[in-house]
Amino acid sequence: QAELVESGGGLVQAGGSLRLSCAASGGTFSNYAMGWFRQAPGKEREFVASISWSGGVRKYADSVKGRFMLSRDNAKNTVYLQMNSLKPEDTAVYYCARSRYGNTWSEERESDYWGQGTQVTVSS
């Protein structure tokens, strides 16, 4: 049984930066791809980014490419989402997720564990 705990959310002005962290426990962290999804008020949850088990392959949603960067530290069982040039439309609850597999993914159904979510609010 794995557990994912996010941290790092908060309120930031447009153009600013935040770094989200997701600490994993239970299971063998380095066996699985990790990722982030987000859900804005009144919208469905959507894919943001994922990273392969080794960290060698990353996948990003078009809306965050060039602004967000995903990394992982397998020694610390932690994945990081660096968010730069934030926009008001990035406002959402951000969820860390673990894939059932080792490769990058973007479909919710391929996730087997989720964190509780962390709020990111970007003011204009």
Side-chain angles (χ1 to χ4, degrees), residues 92-113:
V93 177
Y94 283 70
Y95 296 92
C96 178
R98 194 187 83 170
S99 171
R100 300 176 189 277
Y101 313 109
N103 298 320
T104 57
W105 87 110
S106 61
E107 297 292 330
E108 283 194 43
R109 64 177 181 270
E110 295 182 21
S111 310
D112 61 356
Y113 288 97

Side-chain angles (χ1 to χ4, degrees), residues 9-68:
L11 173 64
V12 64
Q13 288 188 331
S17 298
L18 281 175
R19 189 177 82 154
L20 305 183
S21 300
C22 173
S25 59
T28 304
F29 179 77
S30 58
N31 283 354
Y32 302 97
M34 298 293 295
W36 291 87
F37 291 73
R38 68 186 181 185
Q39 187 168 22
K43 294 187 177 181
E44 294 186 351
R45 190 156 54 185
E46 65 176 4
F47 168 74
V48 175
S50 61
I51 187 167
S52 64
W53 66 274
S54 67
V57 181
R58 297 171 177 85
K59 183 174 185 177
Y60 296 95
D62 288 343
S63 58
V64 307
K65 276 181 185 175
R67 300 188 298 121
F68 290 12

Side-chain angles (χ1 to χ4, degrees), residues 1 3 5-6 15 18-19 23 27-28 33 41 49 56 58 63 69 76-77 79 82-83 86 90 99 106 109:
Q1 192 80 0
E3 182 179 11
V5 179
E6 302 102 332
L18 281 175
R19 189 177 82 154
T28 304
R58 297 171 177 85
S63 58
M69 189 171 76
K76 295 183 178 180
N77 289 359
V79 62
Q82 179 66 43
M83 305 186 295
L86 282 162
D90 293 319
S99 171
S106 61
R109 64 177 181 270

